[in-house]
Amino acid sequence: TYTEPIEWPMGTLMRYHLFLQKEEELKKYQHVFYLDVDMRIVDKVSDEVLSAGLLAAEHPMYALKQQLVPPFEPNKQSTAYIPRLGQVVEENGKPRFKPYYVAGGFQGGRAKLFIKAIKKMKDTIDKDFNNNYIAIWNDESHWNKYLWGYEGALTVLSPSYIYPDSLIKEYYEPIWGRSYEPKIMTITKPFMLSKEGGQAIRKQLGIAEP
């Protein structure tokens, strides 16, 4: 369904409101997935995405080495606030807490469960908006918050499914501490490379102009 473009970040923030306009259609399917339009499938994606519950993918910028911390929503007054999202994993024969920060660009799961998540996130976004607040990473912050409180089956895919299209050796592999094979690749958005795009991101994060 075509929708008119609206001012950033409302287009992404209100995505769940848009999904619910097609709720009855979504209910017809066993699994439902959302993929950003500016992403390209570059290798076979198979039944690994058919989660018994919900499906998420680690954000490539924050699939971090142990000493680094993802940008969870820090404002306790926001409905998207969480301490940390993650699970205990075994590394070098020892258990450790691995934080997850998942991307908004690829998500889904069992239709019934994903629709339930969509409704909850719409409500929390509306509550923040009514309090004149937008979470630090918009809808993505609310997706992370929902998964933090979610107790059902969860499949978390690697950054192979939100794979950057540039700066792999220069930036990503050093922070990953390893490499990944691309399955779904993100396409660099033109505004990210513009002066105006940089200003918009700094404004959103409260960073002073250089």
Side-chain angles (χ1 to χ4, degrees), residues 96-119:
R96 79 168 179 92
F97 181 82
K98 173 181 170 58
Y100 281 137
Y101 182 83
V102 298
F106 183 29
Q107 56 187 262
R110 290 274 181 174
K112 182 178 180 179
L113 294 173
F114 191 44
I115 291 170
K116 180 180 178 181
I118 290 169
K119 288 181 175 179

Side-chain angles (χ1 to χ4, degrees), residues 14-209:
M14 298 299 173
R15 66 172 54 170
Y16 300 119
H17 298 67
L18 182 64
F19 295 171
L20 288 175
Q21 293 179 18
K22 299 294 182 179
E23 180 180 353
E24 294 307 312
E25 183 69 21
L26 298 179
K27 287 179 178 178
K28 298 176 182 178
Y29 299 93
Q30 187 177 54
H31 289 82
V32 173
F33 304 99
Y34 167 79
L35 188 68
D36 276 352
V37 70
D38 53 358
M39 299 177 74
R40 181 170 66 241
I41 297 173
V42 296
D43 200 357
K44 183 178 180 181
V45 176
S46 191
D47 57 5
E48 71 272 19
V49 304
L50 299 180
S51 175
L54 293 178
L55 176 85
E58 282 192 85
H59 196 299
M61 192 174 290
Y62 305 112
L64 305 167
K65 292 189 289 187
Q66 183 173 353
Q67 65 270 33
L68 302 176
V69 180
F72 301 119
E73 169 56 48
N75 183 356
K76 292 184 179 181
Q77 303 306 310
S78 171
T79 57
Y81 170 76
I82 54 174
R84 291 193 298 175
L85 169 67
Q87 67 177 25
V88 176
V89 298
E90 185 170 305
E91 190 173 274
N92 299 322
K94 297 181 180 180
R96 79 168 179 92
F97 181 82
K98 173 181 170 58
Y100 281 137
Y101 182 83
V102 298
F106 183 29
Q107 56 187 262
R110 290 274 181 174
K112 182 178 180 179
L113 294 173
F114 191 44
I115 291 170
K116 180 180 178 181
I118 290 169
K119 288 181 175 179
K120 178 63 175 178
M121 289 186 285
K122 174 193 176 296
D123 289 345
T124 58
I125 288 168
D126 285 344
K127 184 175 180 179
D128 268 11
F129 199 66
N130 289 337
N131 289 326
N132 199 32
Y133 186 76
I134 293 177
I136 187 170
W137 286 116
N138 310 309
D139 52 280
E140 188 172 85
S141 295
H142 289 270
W143 178 225
N144 277 271
K145 170 59 182 287
Y146 186 84
L147 294 178
W148 178 76
Y150 171 71
E151 297 181 348
L154 175 64
T155 298
V156 180
L157 300 173
S158 77
S160 292
Y161 297 81
I162 303 280
Y163 198 85
D165 69 349
S166 59
L167 300 177
I168 304 303
K169 297 295 183 181
E170 303 91 331
Y171 179 76
Y172 287 99
E173 288 188 356
I175 66 169
W176 292 339
R178 55 160 296 175
S179 61
Y180 293 97
E181 292 297 321
K183 290 275 192 175
I184 302 176
M185 185 173 289
T186 61
I187 308 303
T188 300
K189 303 172 181 65
F191 80 85
M192 291 180 174
L193 305 178
S194 69
K195 178 180 178 181
E196 293 76 12
Q199 289 172 338
I201 292 172
R202 283 192 293 272
K203 181 179 179 181
Q204 182 178 359
L205 298 180
I207 301 173
E209 290 289 334

